[in-house]
Amino acid sequence: MGGRYEVLGLLGKGGQSTVYRARDLRAGDEIALKVLKPGADSESTERMFREARAMASLQGTAAVRVLDQV
């Protein structure tokens, strides 16, 4: 995954994306890596980026931390 993430296993699949258990090779942390399925349309792509921006703006909560948006 771009040389930054090592995929360790599958966590789950949905209609638009797949979530993997992975390791951030820069920080060494174990993370959840959400990837859009191949062939996703522009609406699905924009929805995922909107979700990532919303999650990144939540600080001091129990929300997940967004590390990267590629």
Side-chain angles (χ1 to χ4, degrees):
M1 293 287 174
R4 178 168 180 182
Y5 305 105
E6 174 189 8
V7 174
L8 303 173
L10 178 67
L11 290 175
K13 291 182 185 181
Q16 300 293 324
S17 61
T18 303
V19 180
Y20 298 96
R21 185 173 143 246
R23 177 169 290 110
D24 181 341
L25 297 175
R26 291 183 190 166
D29 297 328
E30 199 166 297
I31 62 163
L33 180 65
K34 184 175 183 179
V35 179
L36 280 175
K37 290 188 175 178
D41 59 23
S42 61
E43 183 179 328
S44 297
T45 302
E46 178 54 36
R47 186 180 313 119
M48 185 166 164
F49 279 109
R50 199 170 42 246
E51 176 185 318
R53 286 189 298 271
M55 294 303 292
S57 71
L58 298 174
Q59 297 177 5
T61 70
V64 297
R65 186 172 51 126
V66 176
L67 301 175
D68 199 359
Q69 299 176 48
V70 181

